mmCIF file of all heavy atoms in Angstrom:
data_model
loop_
_atom_site.group_PDB
_atom_site.id
_atom_site.type_symbol
_atom_site.label_atom_id
_atom_site.label_comp_id
_atom_site.label_asym_id
_atom_site.label_seq_id
_atom_site.Cartn_x
_atom_site.Cartn_y
_atom_site.Cartn_z
ATOM 1 N N ALA K 54 16.050 92.566 4.784
ATOM 2 C CA ALA K 54 15.551 91.189 4.863
ATOM 3 C C ALA K 54 14.025 91.183 4.940
ATOM 4 O O ALA K 54 13.410 92.115 5.449
ATOM 5 C CB ALA K 54 16.147 90.486 6.071
ATOM 6 N N LEU K 97 39.651 91.548 35.672
ATOM 7 C CA LEU K 97 40.793 91.491 34.730
ATOM 8 C C LEU K 97 40.546 92.295 33.443
ATOM 9 O O LEU K 97 41.434 92.413 32.603
ATOM 10 C CB LEU K 97 41.104 90.037 34.380
ATOM 11 C CG LEU K 97 41.588 89.150 35.538
ATOM 12 C CD1 LEU K 97 41.999 87.777 35.027
ATOM 13 C CD2 LEU K 97 42.755 89.794 36.272
ATOM 14 N N THR K 106 35.408 99.449 23.489
ATOM 15 C CA THR K 106 36.447 100.482 23.523
ATOM 16 C C THR K 106 37.506 100.139 22.480
ATOM 17 O O THR K 106 37.914 98.988 22.387
ATOM 18 C CB THR K 106 37.112 100.499 24.920
ATOM 19 O OG1 THR K 106 36.082 100.541 25.913
ATOM 20 C CG2 THR K 106 38.021 101.707 25.071
ATOM 21 N N HIS K 212 35.468 70.951 61.505
ATOM 22 C CA HIS K 212 36.693 71.567 62.015
ATOM 23 C C HIS K 212 37.854 70.655 61.590
ATOM 24 O O HIS K 212 37.870 69.469 61.924
ATOM 25 C CB HIS K 212 36.590 71.650 63.533
ATOM 26 C CG HIS K 212 37.723 72.383 64.190
ATOM 27 N ND1 HIS K 212 39.049 71.978 64.072
ATOM 28 C CD2 HIS K 212 37.738 73.486 64.956
ATOM 29 C CE1 HIS K 212 39.803 72.806 64.756
ATOM 30 N NE2 HIS K 212 39.042 73.743 65.298
ATOM 31 N N LEU K 340 30.553 57.387 29.194
ATOM 32 C CA LEU K 340 31.845 56.782 29.571
ATOM 33 C C LEU K 340 32.431 57.523 30.768
ATOM 34 O O LEU K 340 32.900 56.918 31.729
ATOM 35 C CB LEU K 340 32.837 56.830 28.403
ATOM 36 C CG LEU K 340 32.669 55.824 27.263
ATOM 37 C CD1 LEU K 340 33.720 56.071 26.191
ATOM 38 C CD2 LEU K 340 32.784 54.400 27.798
ATOM 39 N N GLY K 419 38.228 85.715 12.802
ATOM 40 C CA GLY K 419 38.833 86.015 14.095
ATOM 41 C C GLY K 419 40.275 85.564 14.151
ATOM 42 O O GLY K 419 40.828 85.040 13.186
#
Side-chain angles (χ1 to χ4, degrees):
Chain K
L97 295 186
T106 310
H212 186 300
L340 283 178

